[in-house]
Amino acid sequence: MGWAIALHGGAGDIPLSLTLGSRWPREEALHHCLQIGVEALKAKKPPLDVVELVVRELENIPQFNAGKGSVLTNKGTVEMEASIMDGRTKNCGAVSGLKTVVNAVSLARLVMEKTPHVYLAFHGAEEFAKEQGVETADSSHFITAENVERLKQAKEAHRVQIDYTQPLQNGTKEETSNSNGEVQLGTVGCVAVDSYGNLASATSTGGLVNKRVGRIGDSPIIGAGTYANELCAVSVTGEGEAILRAAVARDVAAMMEFKGVSLEEAASYVIHDCMPKGTAGLVAVSATGEVAMPYNTTGMFRACATEDGYSEVAIWSAS
Amino acid sequence: MGGWAIAVHGGAGVDPNLPPQRQEEAKQLLARCLNLGISSLHSNASAIDVVELVVRELETDPLFNSGRGSALTENGTVEMEASIMDGPKRRCGAVSGLTTVKNPISLARLVMDKSPHSYLAFSGAEDFARLQGVEVVENEYFITPENVGMLKLAKEANTILFDYRIPTNGYDTCGAGVESPMKMNGLPISVYAPETVGCVVVDKEGRCAAATSTGGLMNKMTGRIGDSPLIGAGTYACELCGVSCTGEGEAIIRGTLAREVAAVMEYKGLGLQEAVDFVIKNRLDEGFAGLIAVSNKGEVAYGFNCNGMFRGCATEDGFMEVGIWE
């Protein structure tokens, strides 16, 4: 028992040849966000506050695909989405199609706490944001040069990219400036449990590079990208469409509940046995303070810490 | 065992004072839709085609809350959503925030079949609709005088209403008196009688499919998304079963209801009816909802924890039933 926290900055085909210039800011960011989460847990903040706080930090970091630094739609705009869930009450909130809201995860929380609904999207969500007086900014705040470049490449390659997808193998690899291991970005998320066993989860993203305007992925879908109940809290990242059809986040909890397996086993089974290779990763914590961070992609930006002093920041496997 | 099976619903949570005439109309519509599905199945149509066909019929008829006859947003407009899922490979498609698409379920199917995505919403979905050349109409087409009246009542009572209310009656709700309004997400709401529509089918080859469509909550905030377009919540289909839910959207979302039926069958080895009963009993907390389900073995089942659910079901061996109450 004891508190535990885990967070991610996205799973995908993160090349092992990633340059230090690309690794360093992201690892730094993961350390920083982990620290913030740990301090909050030590200060006995409720897990719901902790995950919101950490995801806000991740959203503000331009190197990750959420909030500032979100990848772009096929029209060169940002459309951000997020969800949050309180394991204790199973209350949840979600938003999609945000263009100006600086912290999508906080708006998701407001939907949960200040409306009779669970999920608001597009212009309705933006109106709600105005009513609530949350911080907004125009698109220049969110759009980064890297993402403009990523979109250009995706259009040239005529495809929709999970932010981590490597350039196509058939020659375009050399042509694209990003091919020397430049990191693609990822959905962000955080899960936490306090020493009383209260759990919470939150996920936030800009979605897929070159996605159709209006496309919704797994991150705002309760049960797919985010889930928390009295057993565990889960935040998922990877290929949205695959995660949606497998209801990944819920499945981890379902396996624990119905099969009586541990968090580690449930999470590992769902990622390695149920999901096609290269499509997903997740972070999860259980009511008893366990942590699991499996992924079936090349790598996953992640970090975790537990009350007994253990902590880890990583991208690939230890070996 | 084996053989096809089909179930349809027009919403869970029915006003106990619903006039007999309305009850009759509802049962006739359900029977008509069942028969439509049954003759398709007799012509060997696949499950995914049948669920789309039947839900289109339900959307077109103004009686229930989907397509024409949808509940209205706080602005008096219609915003429709739907989802469809094909069991064999768990392919899915969903749409939200539609204002001009005549048959939302068909657009959801096109998202599944003709786009690299699974879920499109609002202006993006409307653009996709035009690209696909689906039939579009003015928003007014979907608005019925009855619902305009309901919206007015809802605003006067300053509550969120599931769409089906008989204006002259008190706010009888399933299991809750007028004095103690139900709460949703902690805020008081006097409720009831949602009429999302849905259909689940298992065809002769044992393939399951599910489809759900709705206009959502009366007086909802513009932009509000409910459970119907959410895969795992309002709709789910896999190798084992097909499920479509109706009721309090928020409760269905937090309970990941549709997926739950499949999960319980898969992980606990329960049969279809047991799974449905388990989920209704254990996964709704204080929420009210109902669902219909079919299994790859040709079984059909339904369950609800509130006062009535408009439904119909039929199996290949000749069984057929349309009902509202227990």
Side-chain angles (χ1 to χ4, degrees):
Chain A
M1 295 290 285
W3 56 256
I5 178 171
L7 56 105
H8 69 78
D13 190 13
I14 309 169
L16 291 160
S17 55
L18 198 60
T19 62
L20 275 179
S22 293
R23 270 180 72 164
W24 175 244
R26 287 164 178 92
E27 280 176 343
E28 253 303 283
L30 291 169
H31 270 289
H32 169 73
C33 293
L34 184 67
Q35 218 26 58
I36 291 192
V38 167
E39 295 303 325
L41 280 167
K42 283 183 173 160
K44 304 265 187 223
K45 285 218 169 353
L48 192 64
D49 290 355
V50 175
V51 301
E52 184 192 356
L53 190 62
V54 172
V55 171
R56 282 176 67 94
E57 276 304 305
L58 288 161
E59 285 169 340
N60 295 341
I61 293 165
Q63 281 85 4
F64 294 123
N65 174 16
K68 192 175 180 144
S70 283
V71 299
L72 308 181
T73 67
N74 62 354
K75 299 220 168 105
T77 55
V78 295
E79 277 178 8
M80 302 170 285
E81 49 196 16
S83 61
I84 187 166
M85 190 161 186
D86 181 352
R88 196 177 54 87
T89 58
K90 301 228 285 271
N91 284 338
C92 33
V95 286
S96 279
L98 300 181
K99 296 179 127 48
T100 68
V101 175
V102 172
N103 291 104
V105 71
S106 294
L107 193 69
R109 183 161 182 186
L110 287 169
V111 171
M112 176 173 87
E113 292 175 343
K114 298 278 165 70
T115 75
H117 302 320
V118 166
Y119 192 0
L120 284 182
F122 293 87
H123 58 265
E126 289 276 336
E127 276 171 36
F128 177 64
K130 275 199 195 60
E131 268 166 48
Q132 293 292 315
V134 300
E135 199 186 344
T136 56
D138 76 10
S139 55
S140 58
H141 167 84
F142 305 98
I143 298 178
T144 60
E146 288 86 355
N147 279 316
V148 171
E149 179 57 35
R150 235 166 241 126
L151 178 64
K152 186 157 162 288
Q153 280 178 43
K155 281 182 180 293
E156 277 160 17
H158 288 306
R159 68 204 163 99
V160 171
Q161 280 177 302
I162 313 183
D163 29 39
Y164 285 115
T165 312
Q166 292 280 59
L168 297 170
Q169 294 304 315
N170 60 358
T172 57
K173 202 178 168 93
E174 291 76 53
E175 282 127 42
T176 62
S177 63
N178 282 354
S179 65
N180 63 347
E182 171 62 271
V183 178
Q184 307 274 8
L185 308 181
T187 294
V188 303
C190 180
V191 292
V193 60
D194 63 18
S195 44
Y196 303 107
N198 295 314
L199 291 141
S201 170
T203 312
S204 178
T205 189
L208 290 186
V209 179
N210 202 26
K211 65 182 179 179
R212 289 195 81 92
V213 164
R215 178 262 188 185
I216 292 177
D218 66 294
S219 302
I221 310 293
I222 299 297
T226 300
Y227 190 75
N229 63 6
E230 69 284 355
L231 284 178
C232 66
V234 186
S235 170
V236 191
T237 164
E239 200 200 274
E241 282 72 15
I243 294 166
L244 185 66
R245 78 167 57 97
V248 177
R250 174 61 190 128
D251 233 33
V252 174
M255 287 228 62
M256 287 181 74
E257 185 177 346
F258 299 133
K259 297 292 231 186
V261 299
S262 69
L263 179 75
E264 181 76 48
E265 286 180 81
S268 178
Y269 178 77
V270 171
I271 290 295
H272 297 298
D273 294 62
C274 300
M275 296 298 286
K277 195 152 167 58
T279 59
L282 63 87
V283 295
V285 289
S286 74
T288 52
E290 302 159 275
V291 174
M293 302 192 293
Y295 54 94
N296 67 11
T297 49
T298 311
M300 179 169 77
F301 290 105
R302 63 198 186 278
C304 69
T306 53
E307 189 166 5
D308 60 13
Y310 176 76
S311 88
E312 178 190 331
V313 172
I315 302 176
W316 303 281
S317 298
S319 47
Chain B
M1 298 263 274
W4 56 255
I6 176 172
V8 300
H9 73 74
V14 185
D15 187 333
N17 297 313
L18 190 60
Q21 198 218 338
R22 297 305 296 250
Q23 294 186 41
E24 258 322 292
E25 276 173 17
K27 283 162 76 168
Q28 277 171 31
L29 175 57
L30 291 165
R32 196 174 87 231
C33 291
L34 262 188
N35 284 321
L36 189 63
I38 291 169
S39 48
S40 265
L41 283 162
H42 281 145
S43 334
N44 291 324
S46 62
I48 191 77
D49 288 341
V50 178
V51 297
E52 184 191 353
L53 184 68
V54 171
V55 172
R56 279 178 68 93
E57 187 64 28
L58 289 160
E59 285 171 340
T60 305
D61 194 295
L63 190 67
F64 293 132
N65 172 13
S66 67
R68 188 150 159 256
S70 279
L72 307 180
T73 67
E74 61 187 355
N75 299 330
T77 57
V78 164
E79 277 174 17
M80 300 167 289
E81 47 196 18
S83 61
I84 189 167
M85 193 160 184
D86 192 5
K89 294 201 174 103
R90 289 176 304 163
R91 297 180 314 127
C92 42
V95 287
S96 279
L98 299 183
T99 53
T100 68
V101 174
K102 196 154 182 240
N103 288 102
I105 196 66
S106 293
L107 191 68
R109 175 130 192 220
L110 286 166
V111 170
M112 174 173 83
D113 290 342
K114 299 273 166 71
S115 86
H117 301 321
S118 291
Y119 190 4
L120 287 181
F122 291 89
S123 63
E126 290 276 328
D127 287 346
F128 179 69
R130 276 151 188 80
L131 249 159
Q132 293 294 317
V134 300
E135 198 178 349
V136 297
V137 293
E138 294 291 315
N139 199 247
E140 284 71 34
Y141 163 85
F142 304 103
I143 300 175
T144 60
E146 204 176 79
N147 280 322
V148 172
M150 288 303 184
L151 179 63
K152 192 154 164 295
L153 276 186
K155 282 183 179 298
E156 277 162 16
N158 199 27
T159 58
I160 304 269
L161 272 179
F162 280 100
D163 66 326
Y164 210 104
R165 291 243 50 76
I166 306 301
T168 52
N169 288 322
Y171 292 89
D172 291 309
T173 61
C174 310
V178 182
E179 303 76 29
S180 54
M182 280 182 208
K183 287 178 181 280
M184 286 178 73
N185 276 4
L187 298 175
I189 287 175
S190 69
V191 172
Y192 224 47
E195 285 167 3
T196 294
V197 301
C199 179
V200 292
V201 167
V202 55
D203 60 29
K204 286 190 235 219
E205 321 295 328
R207 295 175 296 212
C208 299
T212 313
S213 178
T214 190
L217 288 185
M218 184 65 75
N219 201 27
K220 65 183 180 180
M221 291 170 76
T222 177
R224 178 263 188 182
I225 292 178
D227 65 292
S228 302
L230 303 188
I231 298 297
T235 301
Y236 197 74
C238 59
E239 288 286 336
L240 286 179
C241 63
V243 186
S244 170
C245 304
T246 162
E248 289 186 313
E250 283 65 23
I252 295 168
I253 292 172
R254 93 162 50 95
T256 57
L257 221 65
R259 167 65 186 133
E260 207 63 6
V261 173
V264 160
M265 287 180 76
E266 197 176 333
Y267 298 138
K268 274 173 84 85
L270 297 191
L272 186 72
Q273 188 68 61
E274 282 182 277
V276 169
D277 293 341
F278 177 89
V279 168
I280 293 291
K281 182 155 179 271
N282 298 298
R283 284 293 174 260
L284 286 169
D285 302 326
E286 298 88 37
F288 292 111
L291 61 90
I292 53 174
V294 288
S295 75
N296 62 359
K297 297 200 177 99
E299 303 160 290
V300 69
Y302 60 83
F304 52 93
N305 69 346
C306 51
N307 197 45
M309 177 169 77
F310 294 107
R311 80 248 171 212
C313 40
T315 52
E316 190 165 9
D317 61 11
F319 170 74
M320 180 157 156
E321 169 196 281
V322 169
I324 302 178
W325 316 112
E326 270 297 342

